[in-house]
Amino acid sequence: IKHSRTWEPWEAWAHQRSSRPLHVTGSFNGNTLTPLTVTRTASGNAVHTCEVRLGSDGLASFQVALEADRSLLLVPDAAGEAELLAVDGEEAASVWWITGLPGMSYEIKVDLGVLDRRRMVTWTPVDGKALLY
């Protein structure tokens, strides 16, 4: 049985799936799937967050898997905008990189309701200012 997918405009897709589960996978968790916690903003947007700790090199790379499906990844494109990729058995080369002090904790935030896709995925030191890709 072949699987089929229907592509929708980004805005419609993001709005329909904003409260569905997202997972983050990367160097900080051995490329396993870690669920993001969903909270609602005052405007009703679903915001997904997760805390990660940088490695001994002060780095962490990550991608966002939609609905725990490793074949649907939210990754940065060449301009730094969040892009949805359908991956068939090959790992997507594009990842977000967090840099900081070794062992430092960051909160990753994914807000699919943000119109500027360069700000859709952000990370913030647990006690500091937001850093963008």
Side-chain angles (χ1 to χ4, degrees), residues 39-68:
T39 56
R40 294 261 173 209
T41 64
S43 63
N45 270 5
V47 176
H48 304 259
T49 60
C50 157
E51 191 172 310
V52 301
R53 185 171 301 279
L54 301 185
S56 60
D57 56 0
L59 299 172
S61 63
F62 70 95
Q63 299 168 323
V64 178
L66 283 68
E67 300 175 9

Side-chain angles (χ1 to χ4, degrees), residues 19 23-24 49 61 77-78 95 105:
S19 62
H23 292 74
V24 66
T49 60
S61 63
D77 68 9
V95 296
S105 291

Side-chain angles (χ1 to χ4, degrees), residues 1 21 28 32 35 52 55-59 61 72 75 81 84-86 94 100 102 112 116 120-121 130 132:
I1 298 176
F28 60 89
T32 61
V52 301
S56 60
D57 56 0
L59 299 172
S61 63
L72 284 176
V75 297
E81 292 188 357
L84 182 64
L85 289 181
S94 190
L112 298 177
D116 181 351
M120 191 172 285
V121 177
L132 304 175

Side-chain angles (χ1 to χ4, degrees), residues 86-100:
V87 182
D88 282 336
E90 292 184 26
E91 203 172 302
S94 190
V95 296
W96 278 284
W97 285 96
I98 302 173
T99 61

Side-chain angles (χ1 to χ4, degrees), residues 9-15 17-18 22 36 45-49 62 64 66 73-77 79-84 96 107-124 131-133:
W10 175 262
E11 292 77 11
W13 183 92
H15 176 72
R17 286 161 180 80
S18 65
L22 299 179
L36 281 82
N45 270 5
V47 176
H48 304 259
T49 60
F62 70 95
V64 178
L66 283 68
L73 295 174
L74 196 59
V75 297
D77 68 9
E81 292 188 357
E83 170 183 55
L84 182 64
W96 278 284
E107 180 184 64
I108 295 173
K109 180 171 92 171
V110 180
D111 185 347
L112 298 177
V114 172
L115 295 178
D116 181 351
R117 290 193 285 181
R118 291 170 294 170
R119 299 190 182 278
M120 191 172 285
V121 177
T122 59
W123 48 93
T124 308
L131 302 175
L132 304 175
Y133 174 76

